[in-house]
Amino acid sequence: LSDCLACDSCMTSEEGARVFQQNQKEFFRVLNLNKKCDTSKHKVLAVSICPQSLPYFAAKFNLSVNEAAKRLCGFLKSLGVHYVFDTTIAADFSILESQREFVQRYQRRNQEEHALPMFASACPG
């Protein structure tokens, strides 16, 4: 999240404050606190893995993408992470929605002056 450009186009200010709290320093602080206290008092840690990161790890360590996913998940769990989520399906939904919007805009291009161009992007962070 340190790469977030804070463009505010993907979240409200309240959500932004929550995202700001989710950084590497806070992650390791919670991991260390969880190691020191009773498991009933642990803060739950969840990590999401974007689809672009897995091929990077696979290539870097000469693994298949599935093996890289398994190893990365195992590593994170060994650190104390409770849940690891793959966000591939969310990225797929985003692409499908962008596609749907583009088709609608393209079909309206002669009726609406501002139907095109359509600018779309995934968060660069």
Side-chain angles (χ1 to χ4, degrees):
L1 292 173
S2 62
D3 293 335
C4 177
L5 299 176
C7 62
D8 278 340
S9 60
C10 65
M11 64 185 76
T12 66
S13 60
E14 185 177 309
E15 290 168 328
R18 286 190 199 128
V19 167
F20 182 73
Q21 294 171 347
Q22 300 175 21
N23 58 53
Q24 183 178 353
K25 186 177 178 181
E26 179 66 9
F27 175 75
F28 286 110
R29 187 187 73 77
V30 172
L31 279 176
N32 288 327
L33 283 175
N34 282 354
K35 289 178 185 175
K36 295 176 184 177
C37 68
D38 183 76
T39 56
S40 65
K41 297 180 181 179
H42 278 192
K43 287 191 174 187
V44 175
L45 287 168
V47 171
S48 60
I49 300 174
C50 67
Q52 296 87 345
S53 63
L54 292 176
Y56 166 79
F57 284 112
K60 181 168 179 66
F61 298 108
N62 199 26
L63 303 167
S64 71
V65 173
N66 285 340
E67 186 62 25
K70 288 178 190 175
R71 289 190 184 196
L72 184 57
C73 182
F75 171 72
L76 290 167
K77 291 214 172 205
S78 75
L79 290 177
V81 171
H82 297 91
Y83 301 101
V84 180
F85 297 102
D86 181 349
T87 61
T88 300
I89 194 165
D92 291 345
F93 280 128
S94 176
I95 290 168
L96 289 171
E97 284 301 308
S98 292
Q99 173 191 13
R100 183 187 60 76
E101 182 180 351
F102 175 76
V103 169
Q104 288 174 347
R105 286 169 168 260
Y106 185 77
Q107 291 170 343
R108 294 190 323 250
R109 73 188 180 283
N110 295 326
Q111 292 96 14
E112 292 181 33
E113 181 181 350
H114 299 290
L116 290 176
M118 177 181 139
F119 298 102
S121 174
C123 173

